[in-house]
Amino acid sequence: MAETHSLQELQTPPVSSKVFIQRDYTSGTICRFQTKFPSELENRVDKQQFEDTIQTLNNLYAEAEKLGGRSYLEGCLACLTAYTVFLCLETHYEKVLKKISRFIKDQNEKIYAPRGLLLTDPIERGLRVVEITIFEDRGVGSGR
Amino acid sequence: MKSCEYQQIDPRALSVSPLSAQSHPQTKAQRPRRKWEVFPGKNRFFCNGRIILSRQSGVLPLTLGLIVITCGLFFAFDCPFLVEHLTVFIPVIGGALFVFVILSLFRTSFTDPGILPRATPDEAADIERQIDSSGSSSYRPPPRTKEILINQQVVKLKYCFTCKMFRPPRTSHCSLCDNCVERFDHHCPWVGNCVGKRNYRFFYSFIISLSFLTSFIFGCVITHLTLRCHAGKSLIQAIQESPLVICFFSVWSILGLSGFHTYLVASNLTTNEDIKGSWSSKRGAEDSGNPYTYNGIIKNCCATLCGPMPPSLIDRRGFVPPDEAAAAACTSEIELPPFTAKNDTNMCTQSTKDVLERMLHSSDFHGVCPAGPPKTSPLGLEASDSLGAARAPSMCSRRADSPCTTCARSRKDSLHSINPAFRLASPSPSLPRVNLALSDTQEKGFIPLP
């Protein structure tokens, strides 16, 4: 496909395709992703592992968006300080997002990268999709 | 990290002509751009991306001016009298309310309302591939709605041609800001920004505190005038100096607006949904019912106003990835005029043009440049102008079907189809010229929108 080959290409296997896991809106506007196993990944990764990953992601997002005492307290405190408190403190949601990116990095290192796949953190795609990049299986080292 | 290192010894960079060698170090030496600098919506950014405002800031200066003048007159003319005759807490309360109002106003105006970033070219291609999988002709526009079930109720999701994705529920595209905004309430000209998921609570606190402030000032002014009357001093002069008139008119409108929004918060509705009557009972008993409500006033209020604060999805201050930056740097100056000139054309035209551009630019800018005659590829735009302009129309007529079909095909196929043409006619730096011409040909109703 490429007329020239660069050292870049030799290091990183070319991208074969991308699979997008869409959002699941059946419970409303909360952030949930569909757990349906895409057919493109059938011979790449175990179905159960994939579903576990997505389910854990969903649970983490549910934790971030949970309406409970903690979020109400945060909201009231913010209101009383005319919302200036958010300029200094990190919100609960942001803390959970950091947890999610650590989880995704961890999953990539342990499960997906050895199989030539790469999960992209949904926050980089506006929480619309979980993008899974499928690298061509060349047997040349692992992807990024 | 690895790719950055290896770009420096990329053999393709060595094979191109001196002009390109000039431009490559230029792009590398150019400071990395932040995402707000290449943001496609109609927004303005300040403080290096920390503050976001709509490009049409509407009457925000007027709002500020009215509030400041009203309070200024109050503090200057009513307070001295009232402090003397009543209590010193009057200016204290007034001052606190004033500060709260101004802070809420700034928070509403300068916060990202919940803008959804546009779909990446891969995502857009994937969506179009999915909906085209029924195998229809390439000229059929993608279906505009998708029905899903939310809490056992059917909700239609619309396809946004500008952002190239199916809009999540409760999301709407603001034509003034040219962005899809989550939980879109309305575009408020008074605050100069959209009101959406992330800044609705600020907006609500702004109008509530403004109601208190105007009612407070109104009350104080009436008290002042009453006391003056009793004291037998000049009434006319007192009326002239006090902010009575402004207050009188604004009190009722602000109170009305606050009441309306209190009703919306309590029923977990947005202004947009209320105006359209999306969940009104007129539509039939089985359809009605807001699927997002928690069926409790307190719970609805808490969820809307005190719920967790979602993060900004557009990552204004993040850096544009280096491979996209190289493509964007060469074409950025040219890209902007076509976009601003395209306000009147239909969104589908723009979106297909976008897809074509992005697929050409981002996906293998490296592949296209040196692939053909390397000497001509890095020519400045001025050199290839005549080439591009002359050959663009002929290429465009052939290329007329490419936007839709390239969307449907994979990236590789699209490159194959486009590469030979561009190698013949003009190399990639003149792509924007092609796109300008392309947009003209497409305006002849290429993709009919229902």
Side-chain angles (χ1 to χ4, degrees):
Chain A
M1 164 208 142
E3 281 77 15
T4 57
H5 291 280
S6 69
L7 283 167
Q8 273 173 302
E9 279 184 11
L10 293 172
Q11 289 287 328
T12 318
V15 175
S16 158
S17 65
K18 293 191 181 186
V19 181
F20 296 95
I21 311 293
Q22 300 286 340
R23 282 272 293 268
D24 174 16
Y25 294 113
T26 50
S27 339
T29 50
I30 59 164
C31 186
R32 262 185 75 86
F33 291 97
Q34 293 174 354
T35 48
K36 182 169 146 314
F37 188 64
S39 52
E40 291 92 335
L41 299 178
E42 246 156 39
N43 49 358
R44 290 278 200 157
V45 72
D46 180 36
K47 183 175 171 186
Q48 194 55 47
Q49 262 178 339
F50 172 80
E51 281 180 5
D52 284 342
T53 308
I54 302 292
Q55 196 54 50
T56 315
L57 267 182
N58 286 341
N59 292 342
L60 284 168
Y61 282 115
E63 185 197 323
E65 295 181 355
K66 198 172 75 149
L67 296 171
R70 186 182 174 152
S71 70
Y72 294 152
L73 202 63
E74 212 175 50
C76 290
L77 176 70
C79 183
L80 290 172
T81 59
Y83 301 107
T84 48
V85 74
F86 286 146
L87 299 169
C88 331
L89 290 180
E90 205 180 47
T91 64
H92 175 60
Y93 208 119
E94 281 166 0
K95 287 186 187 135
V96 178
L97 283 179
K98 287 195 175 157
K99 206 162 136 186
I100 288 172
S101 34
R102 282 195 302 267
F103 168 72
I104 288 185
K105 190 168 158 216
D106 185 58
Q107 291 280 293
N108 272 333
E109 277 167 13
K110 289 189 183 150
I111 303 174
Y112 294 94
R115 293 170 170 79
L117 299 172
L118 179 73
L119 247 58
T120 305
D121 194 337
I123 195 73
E124 290 172 30
R125 297 289 178 263
L127 290 182
R128 286 189 308 264
V129 287
V130 177
E131 186 180 300
I132 304 176
T133 314
I134 303 175
F135 292 102
E136 253 180 43
D137 206 359
R138 273 179 165 191
V140 182
S142 62
R144 286 182 219 139
Chain B
M1 315 283 184
K2 273 187 195 170
S3 54
C4 286
E5 281 174 355
Y6 285 108
Q7 262 178 7
Q8 291 172 3
I9 52 170
D10 189 349
R12 290 180 301 201
L14 298 173
S15 67
V16 296
S17 78
L19 274 173
S20 143
Q22 253 176 32
S23 65
H24 269 272
Q26 259 174 26
T27 51
K28 270 183 263 165
Q30 223 174 39
R31 54 167 183 81
R33 295 171 70 151
R34 295 206 187 241
K35 287 184 186 168
W36 66 265
E37 296 178 68
V38 298
F39 187 68
K42 292 185 197 166
N43 290 94
R44 274 190 281 193
F45 297 89
F46 301 102
C47 291
N48 203 4
R50 289 182 181 87
I51 290 176
I52 177 171
L53 206 67
S54 170
R55 195 171 294 176
Q56 287 195 11
S57 59
V59 293
L60 173 65
L62 177 68
T63 311
L64 266 175
L66 277 174
I67 296 173
V68 168
I69 290 170
T70 310
C71 292
L73 288 172
F74 169 71
F75 286 123
F77 297 107
D78 295 298
C79 278
F81 185 89
L82 290 169
V83 162
E84 205 182 296
H85 288 81
L86 283 180
T87 168
V88 76
F89 284 114
I90 297 211
V92 171
I93 297 171
L97 279 173
F98 173 72
V99 166
F100 197 86
V101 164
I102 294 292
L103 284 174
S104 301
L105 173 62
F106 284 158
R107 240 8 208 137
T108 311
S109 301
F110 299 150
T111 303
D112 167 19
I115 296 173
L116 275 177
R118 299 191 181 182
T120 56
D122 297 319
E123 269 180 73
D126 184 66
I127 292 175
E128 300 215 20
R129 205 181 315 131
Q130 277 176 23
I131 52 191
D132 260 352
S133 58
S134 52
S136 50
S137 78
S138 52
Y139 287 87
R140 185 179 71 93
R144 300 180 79 205
T145 59
K146 181 164 95 168
E147 287 189 356
I148 55 166
L149 267 184
I150 297 182
N151 292 329
Q152 280 84 50
Q153 194 159 329
V154 175
V155 174
K156 274 193 187 155
L157 299 186
K158 286 191 183 165
Y159 184 79
C160 182
F161 285 98
T162 312
C163 305
K164 286 162 284 176
M165 59 180 177
F166 279 99
R167 279 183 218 135
R170 304 192 103 173
T171 302
S172 192
H173 191 93
C174 176
S175 48
L176 291 165
C177 304
D178 203 24
N179 291 314
C180 269
V181 177
E182 284 192 293
R183 204 183 182 280
F184 180 74
D185 196 83
H186 65 286
H187 181 98
C188 186
W190 297 99
V191 305
N193 201 3
C194 288
V195 177
K197 182 160 98 169
R198 295 188 74 243
N199 64 351
Y200 187 73
R201 65 192 71 195
F202 307 141
F203 176 74
Y204 187 73
S205 70
F206 167 63
I207 57 175
I208 294 289
S209 52
L210 191 61
S211 318
F212 279 119
L213 181 66
T214 47
S215 315
F216 180 74
I217 292 179
F218 192 62
C220 289
V221 163
I222 299 289
T223 314
H224 177 199
L225 293 173
T226 317
L227 289 174
R228 273 200 192 259
C229 274
H230 279 299
K233 292 180 190 167
S234 161
L235 183 63
I236 307 290
Q237 196 194 3
I239 291 177
Q240 276 173 348
E241 286 168 355
S242 69
L244 181 67
V245 176
I246 304 175
C247 261
F248 183 74
F249 290 111
S250 54
V251 156
W252 308 116
S253 44
I254 303 277
L255 280 177
L257 189 65
S258 304
F260 174 63
H261 276 279
T262 307
Y263 155 72
L264 288 182
V265 165
S267 31
N268 205 329
L269 279 174
T270 62
T271 307
N272 202 28
E273 286 165 357
D274 189 69
I275 288 176
K276 286 186 192 168
S278 311
W279 316 119
S280 73
S281 51
K282 285 182 227 164
R283 294 206 168 182
E286 68 273 9
D287 283 327
S288 71
N290 180 5
Y292 313 109
T293 183
Y294 293 95
N295 293 315
I297 292 179
I298 307 281
K299 187 119 198 242
N300 280 336
C301 291
C302 289
T304 312
L305 302 174
C306 300
M309 181 69 182
S312 174
L313 298 172
I314 54 177
D315 189 25
R316 307 184 289 280
R317 288 173 48 77
F319 289 100
V320 178
D323 50 349
E324 281 177 32
C330 293
T331 58
S332 59
E333 287 125 17
I334 311 301
E335 253 178 9
L336 285 172
F339 282 138
T340 52
K342 284 192 71 62
N343 286 343
D344 304 330
T345 58
N346 61 56
M347 287 199 286
C348 186
T349 311
Q350 189 178 16
S351 70
T352 47
K353 179 178 94 77
D354 289 353
V355 173
L356 179 63
E357 268 183 26
R358 299 229 174 135
M359 290 180 89
L360 291 171
H361 292 166
S362 65
S363 64
D364 281 313
F365 185 74
H366 317 289
V368 174
C369 258
K375 286 180 189 166
T376 55
S377 67
L379 270 183
L381 297 152
E382 54 281 359
S384 55
D385 265 3
S386 51
L387 268 181
R391 300 195 193 185
S394 60
M395 218 165 44
C396 287
S397 53
R398 194 159 35 114
R399 196 83 15 243
D401 64 331
S402 69
C404 266
T405 49
T406 41
C407 301
R409 283 186 237 153
S410 71
R411 234 169 50 180
K412 281 185 196 177
D413 290 345
S414 67
L415 279 174
H416 279 304
S417 68
I418 289 165
N419 268 345
F422 280 124
R423 246 183 266 144
L424 282 173
S426 50
S428 49
S430 71
L431 276 174
R433 297 281 166 208
V434 171
N435 292 324
L436 272 174
L438 189 70
S439 66
D440 291 336
T441 58
Q442 284 196 337
E443 272 174 46
K444 292 164 193 163
F446 159 58
I447 294 172
L449 279 181

